[in-house]
Amino acid sequence: MDYIKRDLEQKIRSLIEDYSCILVTGPRQVGKTTLLKNLMSEEKNCQRKYVRIDDFEERKLAQYDPALFLQLHGLPIFIDEVQYAPQLFSYIKIEIDNGAPASSFWLTGSQVFKLMELTQESLAGRTAILHLSSLSQHELYGNSSSDPFMLKIDELKNRQNKGTAASVNEIYKRIWRGSLPGYLSGKFRNREVFYSSYVQTYIERDVSEMVNGVDKFIFQDFIRSAACRVGQILNVHDIAQDVGVSDDTARRWLQVLEKSGVIFYLRPYSNNLLKRTVKTPKLYFFDTGLVAYLTKYTSPEVLEAGALNGAILENYVISEIRKSYENNVTECLIWYYRDKDNREIDAVIEQDGILHPIEIKKSINPQSGMISSFSALDKGSVKRGKGAIICLRSEFSAINSDNFIVPVWMI
């Protein structure tokens, strides 16, 4: 099993000298613990204690006597899955306010929304909060430092030198294999067993904690129904009907998937001059390998030829763009656009107060007509800048001076 270097490492190294507490959030099994353990191995003369709060005895002590928990383990400490003991946060705050040295507390957790709430209540301004995604293309196939994806010609040429070119078949292999380090590092070699165990563990531990009395078999069908709709405008009623639950139950369960980082939404772009835009978000999964497993695509070739091939490619591109920002601890201002005249733009990124429209196409020879909807943004109050078609072409090119052709492998 090989350790895969993470782009977030350098950011953490630069922050541990400034903050007493570092919190790394992210979905289950994206490598939070492995990342921080790797950084622990670099510490000189440091006796940092590693404690797992999903261990029942440790959790019980942390919940019922957090002061004693910290006294027994001492500082510096690495507390894994800290969301299981929210009682610790107030006591961590006291330690920091009493002058705890830089890097005293390293925390991880997979219930992202819950951790943000706990941190804002007790540790606001005292903690560096970083989000770790599943593995990015750059981490798996790239080189040198990572940068946020930007539609500037110099930035794109720079990205071209940092990535590994890929054919159409190779791109779908990347999509099908997914981005979870447990499988891609070689620790677990059977993909079907790996993803089956992932889903079962997620439902048994995370979902069961957030939803009392959940029917685990129905919830698994619910995740599969959601996976069949990646890249689509969210239709809660259709998902609910698929599995025989109420619309309200489906909404609550979607919140669970979002809060635990399994899915995310792309919100529609709008401003005060664009009054005919739709208001419903689009649904995406953080890991396309999970989508391919849930939707029963048995190989990259079957996926490439399947009905979901365009939608899952879009999911892959959107998630990779997000990762490029998250790994640089930079906010990603990204939306999609659709109006009531059915003009749609797959993604709109705002950079430096300028909008950059993007179309995502399963094509190796994109045509100029594919960018016809970009002009819809001209009616808004924010200036439109360079645009792009992100597609399966192997070389970086351009439609014209204002619109690039960007291969998927360059993200």
PDB file of all heavy atoms in Angstrom, residues 12 21-26 31-37 50-53 77-85 89 105-111 115 130 132:
ATOM      1  N   ILE A  12      -1.526  22.810   5.447  1.00  0.00           N
ATOM      2  CA  ILE A  12      -1.569  22.481   6.873  1.00  0.00           C
ATOM      3  C   ILE A  12      -0.228  22.824   7.526  1.00  0.00           C
ATOM      4  O   ILE A  12      -0.186  23.388   8.623  1.00  0.00           O
ATOM      5  CB  ILE A  12      -1.917  20.996   7.075  1.00  0.00           C
ATOM      6  CG1 ILE A  12      -3.336  20.719   6.563  1.00  0.00           C
ATOM      7  CG2 ILE A  12      -1.807  20.603   8.548  1.00  0.00           C
ATOM      8  CD1 ILE A  12      -3.743  19.260   6.614  1.00  0.00           C
ATOM      9  N   CYS A  21      -5.256  25.078  17.198  1.00  0.00           N
ATOM     10  CA  CYS A  21      -6.164  23.993  16.822  1.00  0.00           C
ATOM     11  C   CYS A  21      -6.330  23.952  15.301  1.00  0.00           C
ATOM     12  O   CYS A  21      -6.593  24.976  14.668  1.00  0.00           O
ATOM     13  CB  CYS A  21      -7.517  24.194  17.496  1.00  0.00           C
ATOM     14  SG  CYS A  21      -8.704  22.860  17.209  1.00  0.00           S
ATOM     15  N   ILE A  22      -6.157  22.761  14.740  1.00  0.00           N
ATOM     16  CA  ILE A  22      -6.381  22.504  13.317  1.00  0.00           C
ATOM     17  C   ILE A  22      -7.507  21.482  13.200  1.00  0.00           C
ATOM     18  O   ILE A  22      -7.451  20.410  13.814  1.00  0.00           O
ATOM     19  CB  ILE A  22      -5.122  21.936  12.637  1.00  0.00           C
ATOM     20  CG1 ILE A  22      -3.933  22.891  12.766  1.00  0.00           C
ATOM     21  CG2 ILE A  22      -5.406  21.595  11.173  1.00  0.00           C
ATOM     22  CD1 ILE A  22      -4.041  24.132  11.932  1.00  0.00           C
ATOM     23  N   LEU A  23      -8.546  21.811  12.445  1.00  0.00           N
ATOM     24  CA  LEU A  23      -9.659  20.894  12.220  1.00  0.00           C
ATOM     25  C   LEU A  23      -9.725  20.531  10.739  1.00  0.00           C
ATOM     26  O   LEU A  23      -9.843  21.417   9.888  1.00  0.00           O
ATOM     27  CB  LEU A  23     -10.980  21.533  12.651  1.00  0.00           C
ATOM     28  CG  LEU A  23     -12.270  20.805  12.259  1.00  0.00           C
ATOM     29  CD1 LEU A  23     -12.345  19.420  12.893  1.00  0.00           C
ATOM     30  CD2 LEU A  23     -13.502  21.628  12.628  1.00  0.00           C
ATOM     31  N   VAL A  24      -9.610  19.243  10.442  1.00  0.00           N
ATOM     32  CA  VAL A  24      -9.721  18.754   9.060  1.00  0.00           C
ATOM     33  C   VAL A  24     -11.037  17.991   8.939  1.00  0.00           C
ATOM     34  O   VAL A  24     -11.233  16.969   9.598  1.00  0.00           O
ATOM     35  CB  VAL A  24      -8.535  17.844   8.682  1.00  0.00           C
ATOM     36  CG1 VAL A  24      -8.699  17.344   7.239  1.00  0.00           C
ATOM     37  CG2 VAL A  24      -7.214  18.604   8.825  1.00  0.00           C
ATOM     38  N   THR A  25     -11.941  18.503   8.113  1.00  0.00           N
ATOM     39  CA  THR A  25     -13.226  17.859   7.874  1.00  0.00           C
ATOM     40  C   THR A  25     -13.219  17.206   6.493  1.00  0.00           C
ATOM     41  O   THR A  25     -12.345  17.456   5.671  1.00  0.00           O
ATOM     42  CB  THR A  25     -14.388  18.864   7.946  1.00  0.00           C
ATOM     43  OG1 THR A  25     -14.304  19.747   6.810  1.00  0.00           O
ATOM     44  CG2 THR A  25     -14.335  19.682   9.229  1.00  0.00           C
ATOM     45  N   GLY A  26     -14.226  16.398   6.257  1.00  0.00           N
ATOM     46  CA  GLY A  26     -14.363  15.761   4.956  1.00  0.00           C
ATOM     47  C   GLY A  26     -15.177  14.493   5.077  1.00  0.00           C
ATOM     48  O   GLY A  26     -15.380  13.978   6.177  1.00  0.00           O
ATOM     49  N   GLY A  31      -9.296  10.073   3.692  1.00  0.00           N
ATOM     50  CA  GLY A  31      -7.877  10.102   4.041  1.00  0.00           C
ATOM     51  C   GLY A  31      -7.484  11.128   5.078  1.00  0.00           C
ATOM     52  O   GLY A  31      -6.305  11.488   5.182  1.00  0.00           O
ATOM     53  N   LYS A  32      -8.434  11.626   5.863  1.00  0.00           N
ATOM     54  CA  LYS A  32      -8.116  12.656   6.869  1.00  0.00           C
ATOM     55  C   LYS A  32      -7.111  12.137   7.897  1.00  0.00           C
ATOM     56  O   LYS A  32      -6.117  12.800   8.195  1.00  0.00           O
ATOM     57  CB  LYS A  32      -9.415  13.096   7.580  1.00  0.00           C
ATOM     58  CG  LYS A  32     -10.479  13.647   6.658  1.00  0.00           C
ATOM     59  CD  LYS A  32     -11.728  14.070   7.412  1.00  0.00           C
ATOM     60  CE  LYS A  32     -12.472  12.916   8.060  1.00  0.00           C
ATOM     61  NZ  LYS A  32     -13.024  11.955   7.070  1.00  0.00           N
ATOM     62  N   THR A  33      -7.385  10.960   8.425  1.00  0.00           N
ATOM     63  CA  THR A  33      -6.504  10.385   9.446  1.00  0.00           C
ATOM     64  C   THR A  33      -5.132  10.081   8.862  1.00  0.00           C
ATOM     65  O   THR A  33      -4.097  10.396   9.469  1.00  0.00           O
ATOM     66  CB  THR A  33      -7.128   9.101  10.025  1.00  0.00           C
ATOM     67  OG1 THR A  33      -8.420   9.401  10.548  1.00  0.00           O
ATOM     68  CG2 THR A  33      -6.258   8.522  11.120  1.00  0.00           C
ATOM     69  N   THR A  34      -5.104   9.486   7.688  1.00  0.00           N
ATOM     70  CA  THR A  34      -3.837   9.131   7.047  1.00  0.00           C
ATOM     71  C   THR A  34      -2.993  10.374   6.794  1.00  0.00           C
ATOM     72  O   THR A  34      -1.774  10.369   7.015  1.00  0.00           O
ATOM     73  CB  THR A  34      -4.099   8.396   5.727  1.00  0.00           C
ATOM     74  OG1 THR A  34      -4.898   7.242   5.988  1.00  0.00           O
ATOM     75  CG2 THR A  34      -2.809   7.968   5.066  1.00  0.00           C
ATOM     76  N   LEU A  35      -3.629  11.444   6.334  1.00  0.00           N
ATOM     77  CA  LEU A  35      -2.918  12.697   6.073  1.00  0.00           C
ATOM     78  C   LEU A  35      -2.255  13.226   7.336  1.00  0.00           C
ATOM     79  O   LEU A  35      -1.054  13.544   7.356  1.00  0.00           O
ATOM     80  CB  LEU A  35      -3.891  13.724   5.505  1.00  0.00           C
ATOM     81  CG  LEU A  35      -3.430  15.186   5.459  1.00  0.00           C
ATOM     82  CD1 LEU A  35      -2.178  15.337   4.617  1.00  0.00           C
ATOM     83  CD2 LEU A  35      -4.539  16.086   4.934  1.00  0.00           C
ATOM     84  N   LEU A  36      -3.021  13.332   8.419  1.00  0.00           N
ATOM     85  CA  LEU A  36      -2.466  13.895   9.651  1.00  0.00           C
ATOM     86  C   LEU A  36      -1.456  12.949  10.300  1.00  0.00           C
ATOM     87  O   LEU A  36      -0.475  13.408  10.902  1.00  0.00           O
ATOM     88  CB  LEU A  36      -3.587  14.254  10.623  1.00  0.00           C
ATOM     89  CG  LEU A  36      -4.448  15.447  10.218  1.00  0.00           C
ATOM     90  CD1 LEU A  36      -5.505  15.753  11.269  1.00  0.00           C
ATOM     91  CD2 LEU A  36      -3.595  16.692   9.966  1.00  0.00           C
ATOM     92  N   LYS A  37      -1.655  11.657  10.180  1.00  0.00           N
ATOM     93  CA  LYS A  37      -0.654  10.726  10.697  1.00  0.00           C
ATOM     94  C   LYS A  37       0.655  10.865   9.926  1.00  0.00           C
ATOM     95  O   LYS A  37       1.745  10.734  10.503  1.00  0.00           O
ATOM     96  CB  LYS A  37      -1.172   9.285  10.621  1.00  0.00           C
ATOM     97  CG  LYS A  37      -2.111   8.916  11.752  1.00  0.00           C
ATOM     98  CD  LYS A  37      -2.407   7.423  11.749  1.00  0.00           C
ATOM     99  CE  LYS A  37      -3.155   7.012  13.004  1.00  0.00           C
ATOM    100  NZ  LYS A  37      -3.436   5.553  13.034  1.00  0.00           N
ATOM    101  N   TYR A  50      -2.433  10.053  19.792  1.00  0.00           N
ATOM    102  CA  TYR A  50      -3.509   9.837  18.829  1.00  0.00           C
ATOM    103  C   TYR A  50      -4.655   9.107  19.523  1.00  0.00           C
ATOM    104  O   TYR A  50      -4.452   8.039  20.113  1.00  0.00           O
ATOM    105  CB  TYR A  50      -3.003   9.016  17.642  1.00  0.00           C
ATOM    106  CG  TYR A  50      -4.105   8.528  16.725  1.00  0.00           C
ATOM    107  CD1 TYR A  50      -4.830   9.432  15.942  1.00  0.00           C
ATOM    108  CD2 TYR A  50      -4.430   7.178  16.651  1.00  0.00           C
ATOM    109  CE1 TYR A  50      -5.837   8.993  15.100  1.00  0.00           C
ATOM    110  CE2 TYR A  50      -5.441   6.730  15.811  1.00  0.00           C
ATOM    111  CZ  TYR A  50      -6.140   7.639  15.042  1.00  0.00           C
ATOM    112  OH  TYR A  50      -7.140   7.207  14.220  1.00  0.00           O
ATOM    113  N   VAL A  51      -5.876   9.692  19.466  1.00  0.00           N
ATOM    114  CA  VAL A  51      -7.031   9.113  20.141  1.00  0.00           C
ATOM    115  C   VAL A  51      -8.207   9.053  19.175  1.00  0.00           C
ATOM    116  O   VAL A  51      -8.567  10.062  18.555  1.00  0.00           O
ATOM    117  CB  VAL A  51      -7.443   9.946  21.382  1.00  0.00           C
ATOM    118  CG1 VAL A  51      -8.563   9.225  22.138  1.00  0.00           C
ATOM    119  CG2 VAL A  51      -6.255  10.202  22.292  1.00  0.00           C
ATOM    120  N   ARG A  52      -8.820   7.868  19.061  1.00  0.00           N
ATOM    121  CA  ARG A  52      -9.996   7.691  18.205  1.00  0.00           C
ATOM    122  C   ARG A  52     -11.251   7.801  19.065  1.00  0.00           C
ATOM    123  O   ARG A  52     -11.458   7.000  19.987  1.00  0.00           O
ATOM    124  CB  ARG A  52      -9.967   6.314  17.540  1.00  0.00           C
ATOM    125  CG  ARG A  52      -8.866   6.110  16.538  1.00  0.00           C
ATOM    126  CD  ARG A  52      -8.891   4.668  16.034  1.00  0.00           C
ATOM    127  NE  ARG A  52     -10.180   4.338  15.423  1.00  0.00           N
ATOM    128  CZ  ARG A  52     -10.433   4.431  14.123  1.00  0.00           C
ATOM    129  NH1 ARG A  52      -9.491   4.852  13.306  1.00  0.00           N
ATOM    130  NH2 ARG A  52     -11.608   4.099  13.644  1.00  0.00           N
ATOM    131  N   ILE A  53     -12.115   8.759  18.753  1.00  0.00           N
ATOM    132  CA  ILE A  53     -13.346   8.921  19.531  1.00  0.00           C
ATOM    133  C   ILE A  53     -14.421   7.942  19.101  1.00  0.00           C
ATOM    134  O   ILE A  53     -15.441   7.783  19.764  1.00  0.00           O
ATOM    135  CB  ILE A  53     -13.849  10.383  19.448  1.00  0.00           C
ATOM    136  CG1 ILE A  53     -12.789  11.323  19.973  1.00  0.00           C
ATOM    137  CG2 ILE A  53     -15.124  10.593  20.257  1.00  0.00           C
ATOM    138  CD1 ILE A  53     -12.450  11.125  21.440  1.00  0.00           C
ATOM    139  N   ILE A  77      -2.210  16.715  21.067  1.00  0.00           N
ATOM    140  CA  ILE A  77      -3.090  15.571  20.870  1.00  0.00           C
ATOM    141  C   ILE A  77      -3.739  15.621  19.489  1.00  0.00           C
ATOM    142  O   ILE A  77      -3.985  16.703  18.942  1.00  0.00           O
ATOM    143  CB  ILE A  77      -4.175  15.536  21.979  1.00  0.00           C
ATOM    144  CG1 ILE A  77      -4.971  14.238  21.936  1.00  0.00           C
ATOM    145  CG2 ILE A  77      -5.090  16.764  21.893  1.00  0.00           C
ATOM    146  CD1 ILE A  77      -5.890  14.049  23.126  1.00  0.00           C
ATOM    147  N   PHE A  78      -3.976  14.449  18.938  1.00  0.00           N
ATOM    148  CA  PHE A  78      -4.698  14.288  17.676  1.00  0.00           C
ATOM    149  C   PHE A  78      -5.964  13.501  18.009  1.00  0.00           C
ATOM    150  O   PHE A  78      -5.898  12.328  18.369  1.00  0.00           O
ATOM    151  CB  PHE A  78      -3.810  13.538  16.672  1.00  0.00           C
ATOM    152  CG  PHE A  78      -4.479  13.115  15.390  1.00  0.00           C
ATOM    153  CD1 PHE A  78      -5.772  13.524  15.028  1.00  0.00           C
ATOM    154  CD2 PHE A  78      -3.793  12.309  14.476  1.00  0.00           C
ATOM    155  CE1 PHE A  78      -6.359  13.131  13.844  1.00  0.00           C
ATOM    156  CE2 PHE A  78      -4.376  11.897  13.285  1.00  0.00           C
ATOM    157  CZ  PHE A  78      -5.653  12.304  12.971  1.00  0.00           C
ATOM    158  N   ILE A  79      -7.127  14.166  17.902  1.00  0.00           N
ATOM    159  CA  ILE A  79      -8.411  13.553  18.232  1.00  0.00           C
ATOM    160  C   ILE A  79      -9.154  13.260  16.930  1.00  0.00           C
ATOM    161  O   ILE A  79      -9.536  14.176  16.200  1.00  0.00           O
ATOM    162  CB  ILE A  79      -9.262  14.464  19.139  1.00  0.00           C
ATOM    163  CG1 ILE A  79      -8.469  14.863  20.392  1.00  0.00           C
ATOM    164  CG2 ILE A  79     -10.559  13.771  19.529  1.00  0.00           C
ATOM    165  CD1 ILE A  79      -9.183  15.871  21.280  1.00  0.00           C
ATOM    166  N   ASP A  80      -9.364  11.991  16.667  1.00  0.00           N
ATOM    167  CA  ASP A  80      -9.969  11.538  15.418  1.00  0.00           C
ATOM    168  C   ASP A  80     -11.473  11.332  15.598  1.00  0.00           C
ATOM    169  O   ASP A  80     -11.905  10.751  16.590  1.00  0.00           O
ATOM    170  CB  ASP A  80      -9.304  10.214  15.019  1.00  0.00           C
ATOM    171  CG  ASP A  80      -9.398   9.923  13.530  1.00  0.00           C
ATOM    172  OD1 ASP A  80      -9.984  10.737  12.798  1.00  0.00           O
ATOM    173  OD2 ASP A  80      -8.884   8.872  13.107  1.00  0.00           O
ATOM    174  N   GLU A  81     -12.264  11.812  14.620  1.00  0.00           N
ATOM    175  CA  GLU A  81     -13.737  11.729  14.655  1.00  0.00           C
ATOM    176  C   GLU A  81     -14.299  12.441  15.886  1.00  0.00           C
ATOM    177  O   GLU A  81     -15.117  11.907  16.643  1.00  0.00           O
ATOM    178  CB  GLU A  81     -14.202  10.267  14.603  1.00  0.00           C
ATOM    179  CG  GLU A  81     -13.808   9.537  13.341  1.00  0.00           C
ATOM    180  CD  GLU A  81     -14.468  10.064  12.065  1.00  0.00           C
ATOM    181  OE1 GLU A  81     -15.334  10.968  12.161  1.00  0.00           O
ATOM    182  OE2 GLU A  81     -14.123   9.597  10.976  1.00  0.00           O
ATOM    183  N   VAL A  82     -13.883  13.681  16.039  1.00  0.00           N
ATOM    184  CA  VAL A  82     -14.215  14.455  17.240  1.00  0.00           C
ATOM    185  C   VAL A  82     -15.700  14.780  17.342  1.00  0.00           C
ATOM    186  O   VAL A  82     -16.209  15.107  18.418  1.00  0.00           O
ATOM    187  CB  VAL A  82     -13.366  15.749  17.277  1.00  0.00           C
ATOM    188  CG1 VAL A  82     -13.803  16.726  16.185  1.00  0.00           C
ATOM    189  CG2 VAL A  82     -13.407  16.412  18.642  1.00  0.00           C
ATOM    190  N   GLN A  83     -16.452  14.659  16.246  1.00  0.00           N
ATOM    191  CA  GLN A  83     -17.881  14.994  16.297  1.00  0.00           C
ATOM    192  C   GLN A  83     -18.659  14.077  17.233  1.00  0.00           C
ATOM    193  O   GLN A  83     -19.764  14.400  17.661  1.00  0.00           O
ATOM    194  CB  GLN A  83     -18.506  14.963  14.899  1.00  0.00           C
ATOM    195  CG  GLN A  83     -18.807  13.590  14.339  1.00  0.00           C
ATOM    196  CD  GLN A  83     -17.641  13.004  13.565  1.00  0.00           C
ATOM    197  OE1 GLN A  83     -16.580  13.625  13.485  1.00  0.00           O
ATOM    198  NE2 GLN A  83     -17.820  11.836  12.981  1.00  0.00           N
ATOM    199  N   TYR A  84     -18.097  12.908  17.561  1.00  0.00           N
ATOM    200  CA  TYR A  84     -18.788  11.992  18.471  1.00  0.00           C
ATOM    201  C   TYR A  84     -18.731  12.450  19.933  1.00  0.00           C
ATOM    202  O   TYR A  84     -19.419  11.883  20.783  1.00  0.00           O
ATOM    203  CB  TYR A  84     -18.186  10.585  18.367  1.00  0.00           C
ATOM    204  CG  TYR A  84     -18.449   9.914  17.042  1.00  0.00           C
ATOM    205  CD1 TYR A  84     -17.397   9.397  16.286  1.00  0.00           C
ATOM    206  CD2 TYR A  84     -19.742   9.788  16.545  1.00  0.00           C
ATOM    207  CE1 TYR A  84     -17.635   8.770  15.069  1.00  0.00           C
ATOM    208  CE2 TYR A  84     -19.979   9.169  15.328  1.00  0.00           C
ATOM    209  CZ  TYR A  84     -18.925   8.661  14.591  1.00  0.00           C
ATOM    210  OH  TYR A  84     -19.165   8.045  13.385  1.00  0.00           O
ATOM    211  N   ALA A  85     -17.921  13.457  20.209  1.00  0.00           N
ATOM    212  CA  ALA A  85     -17.834  13.980  21.580  1.00  0.00           C
ATOM    213  C   ALA A  85     -17.861  15.502  21.542  1.00  0.00           C
ATOM    214  O   ALA A  85     -16.855  16.173  21.803  1.00  0.00           O
ATOM    215  CB  ALA A  85     -16.573  13.482  22.277  1.00  0.00           C
ATOM    216  N   PHE A  89     -15.455  20.402  22.891  1.00  0.00           N
ATOM    217  CA  PHE A  89     -15.153  21.684  22.262  1.00  0.00           C
ATOM    218  C   PHE A  89     -15.009  22.817  23.282  1.00  0.00           C
ATOM    219  O   PHE A  89     -14.121  23.653  23.163  1.00  0.00           O
ATOM    220  CB  PHE A  89     -16.213  22.015  21.206  1.00  0.00           C
ATOM    221  CG  PHE A  89     -15.978  21.298  19.912  1.00  0.00           C
ATOM    222  CD1 PHE A  89     -16.271  19.948  19.780  1.00  0.00           C
ATOM    223  CD2 PHE A  89     -15.452  21.954  18.817  1.00  0.00           C
ATOM    224  CE1 PHE A  89     -16.049  19.268  18.598  1.00  0.00           C
ATOM    225  CE2 PHE A  89     -15.223  21.294  17.622  1.00  0.00           C
ATOM    226  CZ  PHE A  89     -15.519  19.941  17.509  1.00  0.00           C
ATOM    227  N   PHE A 105      -3.789  21.020  19.265  1.00  0.00           N
ATOM    228  CA  PHE A 105      -4.930  20.164  18.946  1.00  0.00           C
ATOM    229  C   PHE A 105      -5.026  19.945  17.437  1.00  0.00           C
ATOM    230  O   PHE A 105      -5.107  20.908  16.671  1.00  0.00           O
ATOM    231  CB  PHE A 105      -6.233  20.798  19.433  1.00  0.00           C
ATOM    232  CG  PHE A 105      -6.321  20.971  20.921  1.00  0.00           C
ATOM    233  CD1 PHE A 105      -5.954  22.172  21.520  1.00  0.00           C
ATOM    234  CD2 PHE A 105      -6.771  19.938  21.730  1.00  0.00           C
ATOM    235  CE1 PHE A 105      -6.037  22.344  22.884  1.00  0.00           C
ATOM    236  CE2 PHE A 105      -6.862  20.092  23.103  1.00  0.00           C
ATOM    237  CZ  PHE A 105      -6.492  21.294  23.685  1.00  0.00           C
ATOM    238  N   TRP A 106      -5.021  18.678  17.050  1.00  0.00           N
ATOM    239  CA  TRP A 106      -5.379  18.307  15.689  1.00  0.00           C
ATOM    240  C   TRP A 106      -6.680  17.514  15.780  1.00  0.00           C
ATOM    241  O   TRP A 106      -6.771  16.532  16.534  1.00  0.00           O
ATOM    242  CB  TRP A 106      -4.310  17.434  15.040  1.00  0.00           C
ATOM    243  CG  TRP A 106      -3.031  18.158  14.727  1.00  0.00           C
ATOM    244  CD1 TRP A 106      -2.723  19.452  15.013  1.00  0.00           C
ATOM    245  CD2 TRP A 106      -1.882  17.600  14.074  1.00  0.00           C
ATOM    246  NE1 TRP A 106      -1.459  19.756  14.570  1.00  0.00           N
ATOM    247  CE2 TRP A 106      -0.916  18.630  13.991  1.00  0.00           C
ATOM    248  CE3 TRP A 106      -1.577  16.339  13.555  1.00  0.00           C
ATOM    249  CZ2 TRP A 106       0.337  18.430  13.408  1.00  0.00           C
ATOM    250  CZ3 TRP A 106      -0.336  16.134  12.969  1.00  0.00           C
ATOM    251  CH2 TRP A 106       0.605  17.166  12.889  1.00  0.00           C
ATOM    252  N   LEU A 107      -7.686  17.936  15.015  1.00  0.00           N
ATOM    253  CA  LEU A 107      -9.001  17.307  15.072  1.00  0.00           C
ATOM    254  C   LEU A 107      -9.423  16.874  13.668  1.00  0.00           C
ATOM    255  O   LEU A 107      -9.109  17.548  12.681  1.00  0.00           O
ATOM    256  CB  LEU A 107     -10.057  18.274  15.621  1.00  0.00           C
ATOM    257  CG  LEU A 107      -9.715  19.078  16.884  1.00  0.00           C
ATOM    258  CD1 LEU A 107     -10.844  20.052  17.192  1.00  0.00           C
ATOM    259  CD2 LEU A 107      -9.461  18.153  18.063  1.00  0.00           C
ATOM    260  N   THR A 108     -10.142  15.762  13.587  1.00  0.00           N
ATOM    261  CA  THR A 108     -10.776  15.383  12.321  1.00  0.00           C
ATOM    262  C   THR A 108     -12.222  15.003  12.584  1.00  0.00           C
ATOM    263  O   THR A 108     -12.594  14.649  13.704  1.00  0.00           O
ATOM    264  CB  THR A 108     -10.089  14.175  11.650  1.00  0.00           C
ATOM    265  OG1 THR A 108     -10.376  12.994  12.391  1.00  0.00           O
ATOM    266  CG2 THR A 108      -8.598  14.371  11.523  1.00  0.00           C
ATOM    267  N   GLY A 109     -13.019  15.050  11.533  1.00  0.00           N
ATOM    268  CA  GLY A 109     -14.414  14.632  11.649  1.00  0.00           C
ATOM    269  C   GLY A 109     -15.058  14.534  10.289  1.00  0.00           C
ATOM    270  O   GLY A 109     -14.695  15.265   9.361  1.00  0.00           O
ATOM    271  N   SER A 110     -16.030  13.622  10.162  1.00  0.00           N
ATOM    272  CA  SER A 110     -16.664  13.383   8.868  1.00  0.00           C
ATOM    273  C   SER A 110     -18.074  13.952   8.765  1.00  0.00           C
ATOM    274  O   SER A 110     -18.664  13.913   7.695  1.00  0.00           O
ATOM    275  CB  SER A 110     -16.700  11.872   8.569  1.00  0.00           C
ATOM    276  OG  SER A 110     -17.309  11.167   9.621  1.00  0.00           O
ATOM    277  N   GLN A 111     -18.624  14.465   9.857  1.00  0.00           N
ATOM    278  CA  GLN A 111     -19.942  15.106   9.794  1.00  0.00           C
ATOM    279  C   GLN A 111     -19.721  16.612   9.678  1.00  0.00           C
ATOM    280  O   GLN A 111     -19.697  17.351  10.663  1.00  0.00           O
ATOM    281  CB  GLN A 111     -20.779  14.739  11.015  1.00  0.00           C
ATOM    282  CG  GLN A 111     -21.141  13.267  11.055  1.00  0.00           C
ATOM    283  CD  GLN A 111     -21.973  12.894  12.265  1.00  0.00           C
ATOM    284  OE1 GLN A 111     -22.524  13.752  12.937  1.00  0.00           O
ATOM    285  NE2 GLN A 111     -22.050  11.609  12.552  1.00  0.00           N
ATOM    286  N   LEU A 115     -19.774  19.655  12.587  1.00  0.00           N
ATOM    287  CA  LEU A 115     -18.494  20.182  13.058  1.00  0.00           C
ATOM    288  C   LEU A 115     -18.410  21.688  12.875  1.00  0.00           C
ATOM    289  O   LEU A 115     -17.864  22.397  13.731  1.00  0.00           O
ATOM    290  CB  LEU A 115     -17.342  19.496  12.315  1.00  0.00           C
ATOM    291  CG  LEU A 115     -17.043  18.067  12.777  1.00  0.00           C
ATOM    292  CD1 LEU A 115     -16.150  17.367  11.776  1.00  0.00           C
ATOM    293  CD2 LEU A 115     -16.385  18.092  14.149  1.00  0.00           C
ATOM    294  N   LEU A 130     -10.049  23.219   7.670  1.00  0.00           N
ATOM    295  CA  LEU A 130      -9.723  22.827   6.306  1.00  0.00           C
ATOM    296  C   LEU A 130     -10.590  21.654   5.895  1.00  0.00           C
ATOM    297  O   LEU A 130     -10.912  20.791   6.723  1.00  0.00           O
ATOM    298  CB  LEU A 130      -8.244  22.441   6.190  1.00  0.00           C
ATOM    299  CG  LEU A 130      -7.259  23.530   6.618  1.00  0.00           C
ATOM    300  CD1 LEU A 130      -6.700  23.209   7.996  1.00  0.00           C
ATOM    301  CD2 LEU A 130      -6.132  23.680   5.624  1.00  0.00           C
ATOM    302  N   LEU A 132     -10.924  18.369   3.497  1.00  0.00           N
ATOM    303  CA  LEU A 132     -10.214  17.413   2.652  1.00  0.00           C
ATOM    304  C   LEU A 132     -11.218  16.658   1.791  1.00  0.00           C
ATOM    305  O   LEU A 132     -12.134  16.012   2.308  1.00  0.00           O
ATOM    306  CB  LEU A 132      -9.414  16.430   3.501  1.00  0.00           C
ATOM    307  CG  LEU A 132      -8.570  15.425   2.709  1.00  0.00           C
ATOM    308  CD1 LEU A 132      -7.439  16.142   1.981  1.00  0.00           C
ATOM    309  CD2 LEU A 132      -8.015  14.333   3.611  1.00  0.00           C
TER     310      LEU A 132
END
